[in-house]
Amino acid sequence: IKAAELDHLGGVQTFGYTVEEQTPPRNIDAEKATALGLKPSKKYSLLKMGESVPTDDGTGVVEPEQVLLEELRARKLAVLSDHRRVPPPMAGLCRNADLLVHEATLTKEDGVDKIKIRGHNTAENAGIFGGEMGCEVVALNHFVSAAVSEDAIETLLAEARRGNRNRSQIVSSYDFMEVWIPRGGFNFDSAS
């Protein structure tokens, strides 16, 4: 878990954070290992740790790179609470997040002055930021009470999608929402 400060309002300290899992261990291609003379055993654990192991009959050696499957990318979640701007240290932490939860209190129509005065951000800026950071999914949250109608949410989603230019999936969030991030992250490109 990593955290950095956000720019909300003068004198009000607000933080964003990221949660990133450790890189998952690589799996063994059992078919290749068996073909090289190594049946499933405790030796697989050594291969996963990068150690070479002798074949079952002792006449050869199996190297990790011969049997390890592709490494899965660690999953990352980024959450940005109340803010009007994301400073570079926090932006760096958000880079390539699978899921970015970003406030969308204001609309583009509210304008820059409201962003400065109220210390909140727009759906369009959420979309832009998520796209620039390479986030796979941007979940909008922290809606004002006037923006909880279906039409208002659709307006916020449309603004975020325009700002994002189809670089991320854009969704609206709700209290107690659960999002499953697949092992190795999302792969929306393979669906096309």
Side-chain angles (χ1 to χ4, degrees), residues 77-184:
L77 161 70
V79 179
L80 302 180
S81 59
D82 295 0
H83 71 280
R84 58 185 169 192
R85 189 180 67 81
V86 182
M90 186 67 233
L93 293 177
C94 292
R95 189 164 304 283
N96 299 318
D98 293 290
L99 174 62
L100 167 68
V101 179
H102 192 295
E103 78 140 293
T105 304
L106 304 172
T107 65
K108 184 176 181 177
E109 189 177 287
D110 290 322
V112 174
D113 288 339
K114 267 199 177 173
I115 292 173
K116 290 178 182 176
I117 293 167
R118 293 182 57 192
H120 292 285
N121 222 310
T122 66
E124 180 182 52
N125 286 342
I128 291 168
F129 182 78
E132 288 175 351
M133 293 299 107
C135 301
E136 292 289 333
V137 176
V138 177
L140 306 178
N141 80 334
H142 195 50
F143 308 118
V144 295
S145 58
V148 292
S149 71
E150 191 173 326
D151 289 342
I153 296 294
E154 285 302 322
T155 298
L156 291 171
L157 288 168
E159 280 188 16
R161 289 177 179 132
R162 268 194 307 279
N164 188 268
R165 291 183 277 158
N166 295 318
R167 295 178 286 185
S168 312
Q169 301 288 319
I170 308 290
V171 299
S172 63
S173 66
Y174 52 87
D175 291 346
F176 305 108
M177 178 177 175
E178 294 181 19
V179 177
W180 177 73
I181 300 173
R183 194 73 187 235

Side-chain angles (χ1 to χ4, degrees), residues 10-36:
V12 178
Q13 213 172 19
T14 308
F15 292 89
Y17 60 92
T18 60
V19 178
E20 186 170 7
E21 72 179 344
Q22 293 179 347
T23 302
R26 293 167 66 184
N27 288 322
I28 302 286
D29 183 329
E31 200 172 291
K32 278 186 185 176
T34 301
L36 292 169

Side-chain angles (χ1 to χ4, degrees), residues 36-112:
L36 292 169
L38 187 63
K39 292 182 180 161
S41 67
K42 291 184 179 185
K43 292 179 182 179
Y44 278 26
S45 295
L46 294 170
L47 287 164
K48 287 181 176 186
M49 292 188 298
E51 301 288 329
S52 302
V53 298
T55 57
D56 291 339
D57 65 8
T59 61
V61 174
V62 177
E63 301 292 335
E65 57 272 3
Q66 291 178 285
V67 295
L68 288 176
L69 295 172
E70 185 178 320
E71 185 173 271
L72 293 175
R73 184 176 55 77
R75 295 173 283 193
K76 185 195 294 189
L77 161 70
V79 179
L80 302 180
S81 59
D82 295 0
H83 71 280
R84 58 185 169 192
R85 189 180 67 81
V86 182
M90 186 67 233
L93 293 177
C94 292
R95 189 164 304 283
N96 299 318
D98 293 290
L99 174 62
L100 167 68
V101 179
H102 192 295
E103 78 140 293
T105 304
L106 304 172
T107 65
K108 184 176 181 177
E109 189 177 287
D110 290 322
V112 174

